[in-house]
Amino acid sequence: MVISTFTVPPGRQQELLDLLHANAEEVLRHQPGFITADLLATSDGTTVVNHARWTDAAAVRAMTADPAVRARMAPAWAIARPVVQQFAVSSSHVAAE
């Protein structure tokens, strides 16, 4: 899984969310190895988090090396550069019935 955290300039959170949403719908979801992406926004407008699941690290490397993906992300990166981290799931929990 990849978690990208964006610290957003004042008043630009929705613009960034719109760009990331379009990128996910039009580009990322068609990449080999893509599973899901969740966009999270803080209520104070300062942060956006993209939580993306991929089949494996090789799929993430291929996506990040794709010039079309990089070009598509450029407008979002012009608003805020993300801190990107890859994680492995240590455990998962669901609500009790």
Side-chain angles (χ1 to χ4, degrees):
M1 119 180 28
V2 177
I3 297 177
S4 303
T5 305
F6 298 81
T7 300
V8 185
R12 300 198 71 189
Q13 186 184 59
Q14 190 58 55
E15 180 184 3
L16 179 60
L17 286 166
D18 291 346
L19 285 167
L20 294 174
H21 172 80
N23 290 345
E25 283 296 311
E26 297 167 13
V27 178
L28 294 181
R29 65 188 292 245
H30 302 286
Q31 296 292 309
F34 178 82
I35 300 172
T36 64
D38 298 304
L39 295 174
L40 311 170
T42 57
S43 59
D44 66 2
T46 63
T47 307
V48 169
V49 174
N50 182 355
H51 169 245
R53 291 185 58 214
W54 294 83
T55 55
D56 53 41
V60 174
R61 283 192 302 274
M63 178 271 300
T64 58
D66 185 333
V69 172
R70 296 181 69 76
R72 187 60 194 256
M73 287 301 297
W77 292 340
I79 295 171
R81 292 295 295 202
V83 174
V84 180
Q85 296 176 291
Q86 290 190 35
F87 294 84
V89 175
S90 176
S91 64
S92 182
H93 309 272
V94 297
E97 293 183 17

